[in-house]
Amino acid sequence: MVLFDFDTVIERKNTASVKWEQVKQVFGEEDVLPMWVADMDFNPPYEVAEAIKKRVEHEILGYAFVPDSTAEAIQAWLKKRHNWDIHPAWIAYCTGIVPAISTAIQAFTEPGDKVLLMSPVYHPFFHMVEKNGRVVVNAQLKLVENRFEIDWEQVEARLKEGAKLFLGCNPHNPGGRVWTKDELMKMADLCAQYNCLFLSDEIHSDLVYPPHTHVPVASLGDKYRDMTITCIAPTKTFNLAGIKASAVIIPNPELRKKFKDVQAVNGTSALNTFGIVGMEAAYRHGSEWLDALLVYLKENIDTAARFIAERLPEIRVMETEGTYLMWLDCRTYGLEEEALKDRLWKKAKLGVEIGSKFGPGGEGFIRMNIACPRKILMEGLNRLEKAFA
């Protein structure tokens, strides 16, 4: 059995790291411990780094196209990890999930159209809808026994109002929910009933902990497949955010043409050389590394949950079914947002995301990234305790 090292602390400063080198701009303090941006503090799989190094050794970095072998690697990965059979022709490439969402909004809606979200949710969803001149309609998630559930009455009301596109997040960021097959089918059925397309952001799909299982909504049958746009990427799974590469899976040829037509206008369809090489290497060779990573991340989640239960029982920890982002309910302290920031950022020097950033329903929560060596995790937890001492 190959052993993987997730405990070594790797110096990330002087690499233009957003997470580590922009804390002063974001938190107003220089010596903040960053547990915010959703990337990990681990090396990617050895085979991925070696594939990129080998490509660099050639030295000439001319124009590149995405070879058929990359689509074949994606196809094999989705079949193996998620039991989803896709055709390589369904794949469009994009320079990231957020650009893909923006492209989809432009392709499938018109200015002034309504786009459905379920907050609290990944904040660029709001930005992409609004910056493209569309209107956010929100069906806020319900917190039931410390777990997010869908408010079906609100969802149907928003769809009746004429929402043209639903932006779904599965697994859910920031809440860590992995939506069940029944929930996904019910959501897709409602979208179909009201003629609303389903865009599923599945960037965290590989980061799911047993007994939970990720189900691609487009894998549930032809009816769902033809109304769904699925966004995936190796960047979260393998800590490769800097390669700027994603795959957008659109089985419906008419929808795929619309998407690619907008890409042609915006010039966003080309991947950079290292995005191509890194994506293929990750999906071909990253499975064993990922299995070991998931064990380590789950241990981090359990460690954090135990620490908070013992030392900070006022904080409620939502179960993290997927992702490496913990969603912590700090409302018991009764702090206004500025006071919460002051305690975390200035007093404790802990860089975590404030929940209101993720829209209605996030007030009084914080999001903490635990994808780091355990030494850093424990330092972060001790700072969290200091914030509320």
Side-chain angles (χ1 to χ4, degrees), residues 44-57 277-278 281 285:
Y46 170 82
E47 294 86 352
V48 177
E50 287 300 303
I52 292 173
K53 289 176 187 177
K54 183 177 180 181
R55 180 62 187 84
V56 171
E57 287 173 1
V277 173
H285 305 294

Side-chain angles (χ1 to χ4, degrees), residues 50-325:
E50 287 300 303
I52 292 173
K53 289 176 187 177
K54 183 177 180 181
R55 180 62 187 84
V56 171
E57 287 173 1
H58 187 278
E59 298 186 0
I60 298 177
L61 300 175
Y63 292 113
F65 66 93
V66 183
D68 292 342
S69 57
T70 303
E72 291 163 4
I74 295 169
Q75 181 186 36
W77 180 266
L78 290 173
K79 176 61 177 176
K80 177 182 178 180
R81 303 293 301 201
H82 304 300
N83 196 32
W84 183 21
D85 287 306
I86 71 161
H87 193 285
W90 297 352
I91 301 171
Y93 297 98
C94 197
T95 53
I97 299 284
V98 173
I101 291 170
S102 181
T103 302
I105 290 168
Q106 294 170 36
F108 307 127
T109 66
E110 299 293 334
D113 279 350
K114 296 179 175 68
V115 178
L116 174 61
L117 310 182
M118 296 192 302
S119 74
V121 73
Y122 182 49
H123 51 90
F125 280 19
F126 295 93
H127 301 161
M128 291 301 99
V129 174
E130 292 163 355
K131 289 181 183 297
N132 279 295
R134 278 62 169 175
V135 178
V136 170
V137 292
N138 186 33
Q140 184 177 319
L141 294 167
K142 299 188 296 185
L143 193 57
V144 180
E145 296 182 354
N146 212 32
R147 185 173 184 262
F148 277 137
E149 292 189 4
I150 296 169
D151 187 331
W152 296 110
E153 184 177 328
Q154 287 296 312
V155 166
E156 187 160 16
R158 300 293 85 80
L159 290 170
K160 282 182 178 178
E161 293 170 4
K164 300 297 185 185
L165 180 66
F166 166 59
L167 301 186
C169 190
N170 184 35
H172 180 259
N173 172 13
R177 268 300 314 273
V178 176
W179 304 114
T180 66
K181 178 180 178 181
D182 288 345
E183 288 170 320
L184 292 170
M185 291 181 74
K186 185 171 182 177
M187 190 71 201
D189 283 337
L190 282 169
C191 286
Q193 181 181 343
Y194 292 100
N195 197 30
C196 177
L197 294 176
F198 193 138
L199 187 150
S200 187
D201 173 2
E202 301 184 9
I203 194 170
H204 291 99
S205 58
D206 298 315
L207 300 166
V208 172
Y209 310 104
H212 306 286
T213 303
H214 173 73
V215 179
V217 65
S219 72
L220 294 173
D222 293 351
K223 171 184 174 182
Y224 307 110
R225 182 190 70 192
D226 289 337
M227 58 177 283
T228 305
I229 302 96
T230 305
C231 299
I232 66 166
T235 50
K236 284 285 185 286
T237 306
F238 302 103
N239 205 28
L240 299 168
I243 68 172
K244 301 290 185 184
S246 68
V248 186
I249 303 165
I250 313 175
N252 184 316
E254 182 181 343
L255 297 181
R256 189 166 64 249
K257 182 180 185 305
K258 286 183 178 180
F259 185 89
K260 289 189 172 184
D261 285 347
V262 173
Q263 282 193 305
V265 172
N266 294 339
T268 59
S269 58
L271 297 185
N272 71 73
T273 297
F274 302 120
I276 298 166
V277 173
M279 177 182 280
E280 181 169 339
Y283 285 139
R284 286 198 183 281
H285 305 294
S287 191
E288 190 174 5
W289 179 93
L290 175 59
D291 290 340
L293 172 75
L294 289 170
V295 172
Y296 193 89
L297 291 177
K298 187 62 168 65
E299 290 171 354
N300 271 5
I301 289 166
D302 292 344
T303 297
R306 283 194 302 269
F307 182 100
I308 293 169
E310 293 169 6
R311 311 275 277 273
L312 293 161
E314 296 87 354
I315 296 178
R316 297 180 68 190
V317 181
M318 289 186 66
E319 181 185 356
T320 307
E321 300 173 356
T323 84
Y324 46 72
L325 305 165

